[in-house]
Amino acid sequence: MAASCRARKRTACSRRAFITRVAASAGAVSLVRRHAAGQPGGGPVRFRQSALNLPAGDEVFRKYAAAVRAMHQLPLTDPRNWRRQADIHVNHCAHENGLFLPWHRHYVNQFEQICGELIGDKSFAVPYWDWTKQGGQIPDAFYDINELNVTYWKDDGNGSSPGWGSIRTQGVRGLSKGQRLQDDPVRGGNFTTQRLRQISSTPNYNILVSQLENSPHNTAHVLVGGQAATPPVNGFMGSGLSPLDPLFWLHHCNVDRIWAEWQVSGNSTPRFNTDFRAQFYDATGTRLDLAADGSLNSDSLGYAYDTMAAFGGALALAAAAGVDASQAFEPSEAAMVEERLLGSVDVDALLPVDSATSFSIAITRLADTLSETRPVRGVELPSVAAIQSFGGKPEEALSRFGKPRDIRKRVYAVVRNPRAESVLAATVNVFLNCPYLSRGTPYTDEHYAGGFSFFGGHGDGGHADGHSDGSDHVPVKDVWIDITDAIERLGLSNEAALQVQLFPAAEGNPNLGSVRCESIRVVSA
Ligand SMILES: [Cu+2]
C-alpha cells in the first residue's frame, strides 16, 4: 500500500495517508528532506496533526497514551518521569514576556522526543488542540482513554517554586466530555476564528505574543483548570503543574502552531540572546542547554504541522509561498511597527470582581488612524481539501498565504500590569461603550471587544505576579487587546471619548477579591 501510494503524486493520497507514509517510510522521509535540504537537523520527521480531525481511537492517541504510561512508570530519579517533566514547568517556565513562545517550543519539542523514545517511534508527534474547531471541545480521547484522562493517574498536585508560589491542585477538569470552550458565554470569545485572525493581524512579535498568551492560552488554562473541592483548588490546568494534564501538551502545541504559521508567512521574531541553561532534558534524559534563538526554525528542530506537511515542512512552505525564509527563521528587529498613542487613563482602583468598571478615555485621531492602512501577511493556510484539489501542486493552493495585503491599522486597548488579588483564577472581559453591561452580557454582544485571563494563583497574587523567566526582574506587563472590530461595529471612530469597560469574572470562588492594573492606553499599531 505504502509503495503504490508513494508511486503516485503525493496529494493523490489522503493527507492522513501522506503523514503516515512520512512517518513510516524512509523513502517518504527523503521526499520531505529533499524540500528541506541544507537545513541543520535535516528537516522535519515529526508531523503534528489536528487532534479534532482524528477519531478518538486514532493510533496517535494510543501512542500518546502509551507514552504517558511509560513516563509514569519511570522512577522519579529519571528526568523523563511524568512528574519530573511537569516540575520543569514549575521551576523554569517563561510567561509574561516574549520568551513564552521559545521556551514552550523547546519544552514541547523535547517532551515529544521523549515520548517517541519511550514508545520506540521517533516519528511520534504530539497533536494540537485547535480551539477554533468544533467549538473548541476537548478531544474525546482525553476522556475515553484512561491514560489521557486527567483523573486516572491520581498525580500528586502539590508543589512550589519562586515563580508560582505554593501550588495545591487536583486532577480535575472544568470541562466535561463534549463541553466546548466557545460554549462559555463570555470567555468563549477568546477562541473564535475571528479572534485568532485578529491575534495574527500584526507583524509585531510583542503584540502577537501578548494576545496569544493572555487571551486564548491563559483563558483555556482557566476554563480547563476549573476548580474542585472546598476550599477551592484549581485543576491541574489552572496551576503551574498544568503539564500533569496530558491535554497541556496539545494546548501548547496549538499555541506553537499559531506562532509557526505566523513566522513562516514571513513575520519576524526578535533576537533574545537568552540561553535556557540546564532546564530541559532530551529523549535519553540528558540535560540540555538550549538557546531561545535556537527555537525559531521548527524544521531544524525536527517537526512540522500538518498544515505544512504537504509542502514538506516550514522552509519548503515558505519557498512555495514566495516568502523570504530568513525573515521567518532568523531573529530580526524588522518586525517593529509604529505605535501611536491615541489616549490613556491611569487606573488606581481595585476593580471588583463580577461587576463592570468603566474608564472614559479621551481619544484623538481615531478616525484618522482607521483610515490608514498597513500591510499584514496572510497566515491562514489552505485546508487539506483545498490542497488536494490542486492535483499534486499544493503550492497553487497558496493564494493568500504569506502575501502582504493592506488592512486598516489595528487599534488596541493596552492594559498595564494587571494583577489578580485573592482569586484562584479570573478572566477580565473588555467591552466598549456598553450601557447595559452585566455578568450575563455574552461575547456575541456587539459591545464585546476581547478579554484576558490569569491563572495559577493561590491567594498569593496569582500567575501575573512574580512569574518570570526565572530571573529576578519582573518586567512591565502590557496586555494587548485588539478593539478595532468593536470600534467599527459600533461606529465609534468619530467619538471624542471611548468607554473602555473591564469586567473581571472570577472562577466560582466566593471570596472574589479584586483585580488591579496601572493604566489603560489606546494605541494604534
Ligand atoms: Cu500554558
Side-chain angles (χ1 to χ4, degrees), residues 137-453:
Q137 77 166 62
I138 295 174
D140 285 347
F142 286 76
Y143 296 91
D144 295 347
I145 299 177
N146 276 340
E147 288 87 343
L148 304 183
N149 193 338
V150 76
T151 59
Y152 176 74
W153 293 105
K154 313 266 184 287
D155 287 314
D156 173 12
N158 293 323
S160 72
S161 72
W164 293 91
S166 107
I167 300 168
R168 279 181 295 127
T169 179
Q170 286 183 9
V172 295
R173 290 191 188 126
L175 298 182
S176 50
K177 183 178 172 183
Q179 219 181 331
R180 311 174 329 157
L181 292 169
Q182 292 179 31
D183 288 343
D184 186 275
V186 187
R187 292 170 294 189
N190 292 293
F191 308 103
T192 61
T193 300
Q194 181 198 17
R195 170 63 63 196
L196 271 297
R197 197 176 290 138
Q198 283 178 344
I199 287 172
S200 296
S201 287
T202 176
N204 182 303
Y205 177 83
N206 294 330
I207 299 175
L208 174 88
V209 68
S210 170
Q211 294 184 93
L212 192 49
E213 178 178 1
N214 292 295
S215 297
H217 164 263
N218 279 4
T219 306
H221 271 285
V222 170
L223 288 169
V224 179
Q227 280 183 21
T230 315
V233 295
N234 294 307
F236 290 155
M237 276 290 275
S239 81
L241 280 168
S242 43
L244 291 176
D245 187 337
L247 183 65
F248 168 93
W249 302 93
L250 281 79
H251 181 48
H252 269 278
C253 197
N254 194 46
V255 170
D256 187 73
R257 177 185 63 90
I258 292 162
W259 179 33
E261 292 178 0
W262 181 87
Q263 282 185 288
V264 76
S265 71
N267 292 301
S268 301
T269 301
R271 186 179 298 282
F272 295 103
N273 287 321
T274 298
D275 289 335
F276 305 122
R277 289 188 196 280
Q279 299 183 9
F280 302 109
Y281 295 87
D282 73 8
T284 65
T286 304
R287 200 186 283 252
L288 298 172
D289 290 334
L290 296 173
D293 296 329
S295 71
L296 267 56
N297 184 338
S298 54
D299 275 2
S300 71
L301 296 178
Y303 71 88
Y305 290 95
D306 55 0
T307 46
M308 303 166 185
F311 305 91
L315 190 72
L317 167 60
V323 169
D324 176 359
S326 68
Q327 286 284 107
F329 301 133
E330 294 297 325
S332 164
E333 298 306 324
M336 298 306 149
V337 293
E338 184 205 349
E339 294 173 23
R340 184 188 289 167
L341 182 66
L342 305 176
S344 69
V345 63
D346 285 335
V347 179
D348 57 3
L350 292 174
L351 311 180
V353 175
D354 271 340
S355 65
T357 306
S358 292
F359 298 95
S360 182
I361 303 179
I363 298 294
T364 56
R365 298 191 297 180
L366 182 54
D368 290 352
T369 293
L370 287 170
S371 68
E372 296 171 10
T373 61
R374 64 157 167 76
V376 65
R377 289 178 177 275
V379 298
E380 287 165 81
L381 279 157
S383 68
V384 176
I387 290 171
Q388 284 169 348
S389 72
F390 279 89
K393 290 189 177 159
E395 296 80 3
E396 292 174 14
L398 293 173
S399 57
R400 282 178 50 189
F401 184 83
K403 311 284 187 296
R405 72 193 150 89
D406 285 337
I407 61 167
R408 291 199 194 181
K409 277 200 176 170
R410 309 304 292 179
V411 180
Y412 300 90
V414 187
V415 180
R416 173 151 291 187
N417 282 336
R419 296 278 189 272
E421 297 194 336
S422 304
V423 292
L424 294 173
T427 295
V428 179
N429 299 307
V430 180
F431 291 79
L432 298 183
N433 293 54
C434 183
Y436 48 77
L437 181 56
S438 71
R439 185 198 293 229
T441 310
Y443 71 82
T444 49
D445 187 279
E446 61 178 355
H447 299 89
Y448 172 78
F452 56 96
S453 296

Side-chain angles (χ1 to χ4, degrees), residues 34-117:
R34 181 170 57 79
H35 287 284
Q39 279 306 299
V45 293
R46 288 170 272 125
F47 286 87
R48 298 176 176 175
Q49 306 174 73
S50 175
L52 285 168
N53 278 349
L54 304 171
D58 191 89
E59 66 172 358
V60 76
F61 296 129
R62 293 203 306 274
K63 288 179 180 178
Y64 186 34
V68 173
R69 177 170 290 280
M71 291 169 83
H72 275 91
Q73 287 169 345
L74 289 173
L76 267 172
T77 50
D78 191 317
R80 301 170 300 173
N81 165 279
W82 188 252
R83 169 64 193 233
R84 290 286 305 278
Q85 285 290 302
D87 284 341
I88 293 174
H89 192 259
V90 173
N91 292 324
H92 302 294
C93 72
H95 286 258
E96 318 275 321
N97 62 50
L99 291 170
F100 171 72
L101 293 173
W103 192 91
H104 286 85
R105 174 168 286 178
H106 281 313
Y107 189 38
V108 175
N109 190 46
Q110 295 305 324
F111 171 86
E112 181 171 271
Q113 292 173 81
I114 291 170
C115 289
E117 174 77 20

